[in-house]
Every structure is written in structure tokens, then in C-alpha cells.
Amino acid sequence: MNNFINISDLSSKELRFIIEEAKSRKSNRKNFNKSAPDKDKPFEGKSMAMIFEKPSTRTRMSFDIAVKQLGGSTITLNPDGIHYGKGDETLKDTAKVLTEYVDIVMLRTSSHKHLEEFGKYLEIPIINGLSDESHPCQIMSDILTFEETKGLINNQTVSWLGDGNNNMSNSLIQAAGKFGFHLKIGSPKKYMPNKKILNWAKKNNVNLTITKKPEDAVSHSDCVMTDKWVSMNDKVNKKQKKKDLKNYQVDKKLMKLAKPDAIFMHCLPVGRGEEVTNEVIDGKQSVVWRQALNRVHAQKSIINWCLD
Ligand code: CP
Ligand code: NVA
């Protein structure tokens, strides 16, 4: 049994295994209905509890479909409708009860500590469906999407623009170390990666370039990525942050500085006209809808790996 909390917790070999399994399961499903189960139904008779402390469209839908395709079922819990969210039951007791009912838990949380605490008391695996610190499932889907278009990601260059100190950029830095790609982050000083993740990057020899200049961040890049300037529960002066990040908008002019066949990625939801222009996100280089679809495929093999 394994938990899937951070990309940094897994070895490069385990992460590669997950990506390759996702590719092969996806290719074995050609012409299947969207929710039809895979032939081997590895999750048959099993179920996943999904807890959302924050809103979600993709994570909610893609985990539900992933579990259906594996032959199992899901139960979605809203913290307002269960005891732990209201504070009249400890997280430990909720974890003990969930262990009796289901086979795996997926948690989207405002506090990364909840994942660690749940993980400590559950006797079944837990998957991080986004926390304030990381978003590993999204990044695994992004690696899958990148490789479907551009081949193995090792030694290729990925650029990250805008907020360099959020859950997505943290997981992307960890992925750069584990998958061995060059990551270039373009953000103003105020929003550069924090010390904790920079120390991890240094210790793990991540090929990481950080610059204030958006043009340098995207030059010769194979993939340009960005994210909402203001994340869910981001306790900042939103107006000020958007002003600070104005020059990091991904537009056609900036995309032209990347390689001609570079792709554009965004985890969604998107702030259209803020971190990216409509022309780019709706343009030919954008693979954002496939990223969303690939959440299903990446998460199926994450679930299988957790239950191994
Ligand atoms: N990308 C992503 O996690 O989307 P949701 O917030 O809709 O789940
Ligand atoms: N950084 C974003 C990602 C959303 C999927 C957020 O946390 O809101």
C-alpha cells in the first residue's frame, strides 16, 4: 500500500512506471465508451471516498471516471456534510471510520497537514487531489500529455510563467528533478519559489533556471505553462498580485520566442485575458483539453500504484 501525496515521495522509476501504465491503459481503450470499464477491472468491488474542502470540476470528474474505468465506485463527501469538516469529530476518528468503509481516499484540502494527518491514521492509501502545497496528480497528467505530443520529457525544456510559488509550481519543480527535464521559471522576485522547495531542488540536482525576464524563461522552450495568478484560498491582495504579474501574461508574442513546435499547457480553471490570452489558450499550440482528459488516465495508474 502506498500514499500519493507529493511527487518527491516517489522514485523516478516508480513515477516512470505510473506514466507508462497510463499510456498503455489509455491505448487499450480505443473505441471504448467514456465510462466503460477496462477489460481487467482491477478495482472491481472496491470504492474510493473523495473529500473536497475546496471547489473542483476536473479532479472530481476525472477521479470518478477513472474509478469507473477501473471497475469500481466512488462516494463524494463534502466536509460541510460530514463530522470532520464541522469540527465535531477528529480527523483521526474520521480516518479510522473511512478505513472500515472504503479502499482508498482522495482528499482536496486547504491545509497540506490534513493529508499528512489523514495519511497517518488511515490504514488504506490516500491521494492528494490538490493542497495548498502541491498538485501532484495534475503534474502527472501534464507529463503524460507532454510525452504524447513531444516524446520522452527527459532533457527537454519546460517553462513556467507567473506565480512561481504555488502548489503547481512546487509539484513541477519536483517533477523536473524526478523526470530529468530543464525547468525555467519566469516570475517577479516576490513570487519566486520558496526556500523549502529551492533547497529540495538543490539537494536533488534539479536543472532549474529562475529569471525575472519572461522572454528568457520561454526562449528555446518545448512547453510553456502557466496557472491562475490568484489560487484558491490565496490570501493576498488580488488586485495587487494581478498588477505585479501583468508582464508575465502568455500571449502570442511570448509564445513566438519558444520553439516553433512548443505546446502551451494550463491546468485550468483559467483566468482568460489574465495569465493567458484567448488567442493562445484557444490556439493550435494549446493542449489544455487533453490535459484535462489525461487526468483520468494518469489517476488510474496512480490508484493502481497506491493499491499495489
Ligand atoms: N486542474 C484542476 O485540478 O481542476 P479542478 O480545480 O477543477 O479540479
Ligand atoms: N493553483 C491553482 C490550481 C488549480 C487547479 C489553485 O490552487 O487554485
Side-chain angles (χ1 to χ4, degrees):
M1 171 199 123
N2 300 300
N3 291 336
F4 189 78
I5 295 182
N6 280 318
I7 286 187
S8 57
D9 300 334
L10 281 77
S11 68
S12 299
K13 207 171 150 194
E14 288 171 307
L15 291 162
R16 174 51 59 196
F17 180 85
I18 290 171
I19 294 293
E20 293 309 317
E21 201 211 342
K23 285 180 191 168
S24 103
R25 277 195 180 271
K26 186 175 176 185
S27 77
N28 287 342
R29 288 186 57 82
K30 291 208 174 99
N31 304 322
F32 276 39
N33 284 332
K34 288 172 185 156
S35 288
D38 288 356
K39 283 202 181 104
D40 59 345
K41 299 184 193 164
F43 206 50
E44 191 170 28
K46 295 186 178 167
S47 60
M48 166 184 271
M50 306 197 287
I51 308 175
F52 291 94
E53 293 178 14
K54 295 203 249 197
S56 164
T57 303
R58 280 144 288 268
T59 304
R60 186 184 302 266
M61 294 292 299
S62 60
F63 265 108
D64 191 64
I65 295 160
V67 168
K68 279 199 178 88
Q69 289 189 3
L70 293 175
S73 60
T74 58
I75 303 163
T76 302
L77 304 171
N78 177 344
D80 290 338
I82 58 174
H83 292 287
Y84 117 80
K86 289 184 187 154
D88 54 3
E89 180 169 81
T90 63
L91 222 127
K92 179 179 173 179
D93 290 344
T94 306
K96 290 218 167 270
V97 170
L98 289 180
T99 299
E100 300 297 323
Y101 288 138
V102 295
D103 301 279
I104 189 163
V105 171
M106 192 286 299
L107 175 66
R108 166 164 289 198
T109 179
S110 306
S111 165
H112 196 79
K113 285 192 186 81
H114 286 177
L115 274 165
E116 285 159 0
E117 212 180 320
F118 249 120
K120 206 159 73 195
Y121 299 118
L122 280 171
E123 288 161 43
I124 51 174
I126 186 160
I127 297 178
N128 176 2
L130 181 147
S131 77
D132 48 334
E133 286 184 19
S134 55
H135 198 5
C137 291
Q138 179 68 52
I139 294 296
M140 290 299 278
S141 160
D142 297 348
I143 303 282
L144 174 61
T145 309
F146 181 101
E147 294 201 342
E148 282 180 345
T149 324
K150 306 194 65 65
L152 283 184
I153 198 163
N154 313 45
N155 298 321
Q156 301 213 44
T157 302
V158 174
S159 306
W160 176 265
L161 268 292
D163 187 357
N165 185 24
N166 73 7
N167 43 15
M168 280 290 293
S169 57
N170 285 341
S171 291
L172 189 61
I173 292 172
Q174 294 175 6
K178 296 288 180 177
F179 286 94
F181 58 87
H182 182 197
L183 176 60
K184 299 204 287 180
I185 296 184
S187 59
K189 198 156 188 293
K190 203 168 158 188
Y191 303 104
M192 283 182 180
N194 62 59
K195 269 201 186 128
K196 187 177 161 198
I197 189 75
L198 285 179
N199 285 340
W200 185 90
K202 205 171 163 195
K203 241 184 172 166
N204 289 276
N205 298 318
V206 182
N207 188 356
L208 180 64
T209 305
I210 302 178
T211 170
K212 276 191 228 160
K213 294 186 183 154
E215 297 80 11
D216 290 352
V218 299
S219 70
H220 307 294
S221 183
D222 297 288
C223 171
V224 179
M225 293 175 89
T226 186
D227 187 9
K228 266 220 178 292
W229 284 340
V230 180
S231 283
M232 290 180 274
N233 295 12
D234 205 349
K235 290 174 191 67
V236 287
N237 179 332
K238 293 183 186 163
K239 226 169 136 191
Q240 184 60 48
K241 189 167 181 185
K242 289 181 182 181
K243 211 169 134 199
D244 294 341
L245 291 171
K246 210 171 70 181
N247 294 337
Y248 296 81
Q249 182 187 67
V250 181
D251 58 10
K252 212 174 153 189
K253 217 169 104 204
L254 204 61
M255 279 304 289
K256 278 228 165 91
L257 301 176
K259 287 186 185 164
D261 60 350
I263 52 175
F264 170 77
M265 284 204 196
H266 192 305
C267 63
L268 308 174
V270 58
R272 286 176 176 266
E274 292 185 347
E275 71 271 14
V276 61
T277 59
N278 283 332
E279 204 176 13
V280 170
I281 196 161
D282 296 328
K284 276 199 186 128
Q285 287 166 287
S286 170
V287 293
V288 300
W289 313 117
R290 194 145 46 79
Q291 276 176 271
L293 167 67
N294 278 339
R295 291 290 300 275
V296 171
H297 300 291
Q299 286 157 196
K300 281 168 71 182
S301 47
I302 291 170
I303 294 168
N304 281 340
W305 178 79
C306 286
L307 291 166
D308 186 13

